[in-house]
Amino acid sequence: MKVEDKVALCAIKQHAESHIQLDTSLCEKCPTKICIRACPAHLYTLEQNEVKVDHSGCLECGTCLVVCILGAVSWNYPQGGFGIRYRHG
Ligand code: SF4
Ligand code: SF4
């Protein structure tokens, strides 16, 4: 089974409030904007030259937190009962 198919088996209950915050003043100076390429769920985008993150669909892998060398990402697990529930197919 492909990874995409396995991820599709998972259930995500999204909280209205985002568990990911960005310091966009740091993002403006970021030379790589590597989060856009690194997030496996493709949740980081560049819109009118501004980096945005859509927390819905987050796989809670922590990759964005690790790859952001400028420390612009504040990340917490979603509130209890929310977020991704992994299932094994
Ligand atoms: S890697 Fe970090 S600083 Fe650079 S654009 Fe992404 S979140 Fe912003
Ligand atoms: S934790 Fe993983 S899936 Fe969620 S936004 Fe960061 S890189 Fe993307």
Side-chain angles (χ1 to χ4, degrees):
M1 188 186 276
K2 289 192 294 180
V3 172
E4 291 81 3
D5 296 333
K6 288 192 174 190
V7 168
L9 288 172
C10 301
I12 297 178
K13 188 177 173 192
Q14 213 50 70
H15 197 283
E17 228 171 83
S18 178
H19 61 286
I20 309 166
Q21 267 79 43
L22 298 180
D23 183 338
T24 51
S25 65
L26 293 174
C27 296
E28 279 171 21
K29 300 176 211 146
C30 179
T32 64
K33 298 188 175 31
I34 195 166
C35 53
I36 295 170
R37 280 173 285 130
C39 173
H42 309 294
L43 301 179
Y44 283 81
T45 51
L46 195 60
E47 290 172 32
Q48 289 160 353
N49 248 5
E50 194 177 322
V51 177
K52 306 223 172 188
V53 60
D54 174 10
H55 72 293
S56 58
C58 179
L59 303 173
E60 297 173 28
C61 64
T63 303
C64 52
L65 194 56
V66 174
V67 298
C68 178
I69 53 165
L70 298 186
V73 180
S74 300
W75 197 101
N76 291 292
Y77 281 105
Q79 214 173 291
F82 290 91
I84 192 161
R85 186 152 33 97
Y86 283 97
R87 293 180 188 157
H88 301 285

